[in-house]
């Protein structure tokens, strides 16, 4: 990749990794549902001009937005915020990276077909990494399983959302889809946010964290992500998923004094390695049945 693309990739990873830090800070003054609403509504307002310009891309797809907005934004954002009340921000950022693993686990339920051996092995490796992190091995710190479970459920929600986007929003311009999804999710979050209003106005620190979450970590990051996809393609842009947890752990350790240990790095490596295996297509071996089938298909298409 060009150096500019690498710089954008690192900047995007740093932004998304910092979101877990800012969530932890904002939770000192506000609840998880209110936090998620402010984050999403703020991002939707920032993205509104771009979404409006490309609204025609959503023609015929508007009816699917509540479903996509629910699983891609509303549910996971609330669950991550609620989970971070009980677990470290770095651990939350790492557990969210398990989304590709749950895509394999939930595949049969969502009619995605039979997973490959590579995906199954990757899932097992990743789940071992999750077990290491939840066991607190090497850090000496106990992990709240309830809080961790909420973040894992958020990762599952992201996996479900991915299948919904593939099925109902294929070909829709990414910026239009992001802005419309954020706006829809903000509306869905109004009732729970109304029940989670803070007793007093957030202080300057929490308010700044909320502003950073909405403008930089959500709206700005998605615009940068779409730009990166246009420049280097979705496969290379997806590297951000493997860099974000590293930044999340680094921010938490440096700024929030979160503990680190051998288990942290081992679990992170296993989760990222397993997720990588699950998100990559299996290697086709020349002479295998699948290889021969593809060759025949290409000949028929050429003929």
């Amino acid at each position: 990749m060009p150096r500019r693309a690498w710089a954008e990739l690192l900047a995007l990873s740093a932004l998304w990794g910092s979101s877990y830090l800012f969530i932890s800070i904002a939770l000192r003054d506000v609840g998880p549902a209110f936090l998620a609403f402010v984050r999403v509504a703020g991002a939707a307002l920032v993205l509104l001009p771009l979404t409006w310009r490309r609204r025609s891309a959503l023609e015929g797809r508007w009816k699917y937005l509540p479903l996509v907005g629910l699983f891609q934004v509303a549910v996971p954002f609330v669950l991550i915020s609620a989970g971070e009340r009980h677990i470290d921000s770095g651990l939350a950022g790492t557990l969210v990276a398990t989304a590709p693993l749950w895509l394999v686990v939930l595949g049969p339920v969502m009619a995605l077909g039979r997973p490959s051996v590579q995906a199954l092995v990757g899932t097992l490796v990743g789940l071992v990494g999750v077990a290491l992190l939840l066991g607190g091995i090497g850090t000496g710190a106990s992990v709240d399983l309830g809080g961790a479970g909420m973040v894992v459920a958020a990762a599952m929600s992201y996996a479900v959302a991915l299948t919904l986007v593939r099925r109902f929003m294929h070909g829709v311009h990414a910026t239009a889809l992001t802005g419309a999804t954020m706006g829809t999710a903000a509306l869905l979050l109004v009732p729970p946010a109304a029940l989670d209003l803070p007793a007093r106005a957030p202080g300057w620190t929490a308010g700044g964290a909320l502003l950073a979450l909405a403008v930089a970590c959500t709206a700005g990051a998605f615009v940068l992500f779409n730009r990166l996809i246009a420049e280097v393609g979705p496969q290379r842009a997806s590297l951000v998923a493997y860099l974000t947890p590293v930044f999340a752990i680094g921010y938490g350790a440096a700024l929030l004094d979160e503990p680190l240990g051998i288990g942290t790095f081992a679990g992170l490596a296993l989760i990222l390695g397993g997720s990588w295996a699950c998100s990559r297509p299996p290697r086709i071996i020349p002479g295998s049945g699948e290889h021969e089938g593809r060759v025949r298909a290409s000949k028929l298409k050429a003929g």
Side-chain angles (χ1 to χ4, degrees), residues 97-109:
T98 62
L101 309 181
W102 304 116
L103 197 59
V104 175
V105 173
L106 298 174
V109 179

Side-chain angles (χ1 to χ4, degrees), residues 27-226:
L27 284 172
R28 297 170 185 173
D29 285 8
V30 301
F34 183 80
L35 186 157
F37 169 75
V38 172
R39 177 184 181 182
V40 173
L45 288 174
V46 173
L47 293 171
L48 182 60
L50 297 175
T51 306
W52 182 257
R53 269 184 7 210
R54 296 184 171 93
R55 65 189 183 280
S56 60
L58 289 160
E59 188 174 351
R61 316 283 186 99
W62 294 98
K63 60 185 177 182
Y64 302 118
L65 281 175
L67 191 61
V68 174
L70 182 68
F71 285 99
Q72 191 176 52
V73 180
V75 168
F77 277 24
V78 172
L79 286 174
I80 291 169
S81 298
E84 278 203 51
R85 278 182 153 179
H86 308 284
I87 64 173
D88 291 342
S89 63
L91 176 58
T94 304
L95 292 177
V96 169
T98 62
L101 309 181
W102 304 116
L103 197 59
V104 175
V105 173
L106 298 174
V109 179
M110 296 184 290
L112 297 179
R114 188 175 60 183
S116 65
V117 174
Q118 172 182 302
L120 290 174
V121 172
T123 302
L124 291 175
V125 169
L127 292 179
V128 170
V130 172
L132 280 177
L133 292 177
L134 297 187
I137 297 174
T139 64
S142 60
V143 176
D144 186 292
L145 295 183
M150 284 187 275
V151 178
V152 169
M156 291 181 179
S157 183
Y158 282 135
V160 173
L162 181 59
T163 65
L164 295 173
V165 170
R166 285 177 178 174
R167 184 171 301 177
F168 301 121
M169 298 294 184
H170 180 71
V172 176
H173 192 280
T175 301
L177 177 59
T178 301
T181 302
M182 290 292 170
T184 305
L187 294 176
L188 294 173
L189 286 170
V190 168
L195 297 174
D196 194 32
L197 291 175
R200 60 181 184 274
W204 287 106
T205 303
L210 288 170
L211 183 64
L213 277 169
V215 177
C217 301
T218 307
F222 273 106
V223 170
L224 183 56
F225 185 51
N226 293 333

Side-chain angles (χ1 to χ4, degrees), residues 1-20:
M1 288 196 302
R3 276 183 289 184
R4 175 180 170 179
W6 276 112
E8 291 175 345
L9 180 66
L10 289 174
L12 178 61
S13 303
L15 279 174
W16 270 341
S18 69
S19 63
Y20 303 97

